[in-house]
Amino acid sequence: MAGSDSAAEAPTAPAARAAAPEAVKILIAGGFGVGKTTMVGSVSEIAPLRTEEPLTTAGLDVDDLAGIEEKRATTVALDFGRISIGRELVLYLFGTPGQQRFWFMWNDLAIGALGAVVLIDVRRPESSFAAIDFFERRGIPFVVGANGFHGRHPYPAEEIREALALPEHVKVLLCDARERASCRDVLIALVDQLIDAATGAAAS
């Protein structure tokens, strides 16, 4: 009888813990001075890791400052931040260096990335052509964020799409890299695009 009582009185197993959130690696890429560091810092829920160094006269012959003459520092390795999308998804954000002399790092940063945001400055969109080409060649899904410097958006999203010759499935969004809500909307659009692509692949 004692044996039967012990079975009845045994403590119940603890309730199953909630599943850990899914972690997704996202790159924030684009040309020199388009707002990558600003975006990571604006949207990150933790203090962002930055590897910025002051611009020096030694780089004057290498770095093209046309249109961004006020820039005083540059990312020499990466920016890192994190943002939770709901309770089930955490995005780890890796901002890439923009100068051509640091592009060799992009291949390593892209390892394990499921998607990317390509930021462009519509005043000099050519500075981000290489980033678009990089992700297209590697088949990494991306969205384009047109960063409105000084809060200005002189061109609509569809006009920007045509100028960049982007296919319809690549989303183009007007944004402000200084504003958390704006940056979050861009990241959510990327997540939606990734889900759509995964759903389409599963259905085929």
Side-chain angles (χ1 to χ4, degrees), residues 50-107:
R50 292 173 173 165
T51 57
E52 283 194 309
E53 293 293 339
L55 291 172
T56 65
T57 54
L60 291 179
D61 295 332
V62 183
D63 302 324
D64 183 7
L65 294 176
I68 50 171
E69 291 82 3
E70 72 282 0
K71 190 170 178 61
R72 295 291 178 266
T74 186
T75 298
V76 296
L78 59 89
D79 299 308
F80 174 76
R82 184 189 72 197
I83 179 173
S84 299
I85 306 294
R87 295 183 178 181
E88 299 179 351
L89 182 64
V90 175
L91 306 184
Y92 290 97
L93 310 176
F94 291 77
T96 65
Q99 295 130 296
Q100 187 172 355
R101 55 195 165 117
F102 296 127
W103 285 356
F104 69 90
M105 300 180 61
W106 287 25
N107 286 321

Side-chain angles (χ1 to χ4, degrees), residues 40 44 52 95 111 114 133 155 164 167 175 199:
V40 173
S44 178
E52 283 194 309
I111 295 173
L114 292 190
D133 182 66
Y155 306 105
L164 297 176
C175 66
T199 302

Side-chain angles (χ1 to χ4, degrees), residues 12 85 105 120 129 132 152 174 190:
T12 58
I85 306 294
M105 300 180 61
I120 68 166
F129 286 170
I132 292 172
R152 299 171 186 165
L174 305 181
L190 174 61

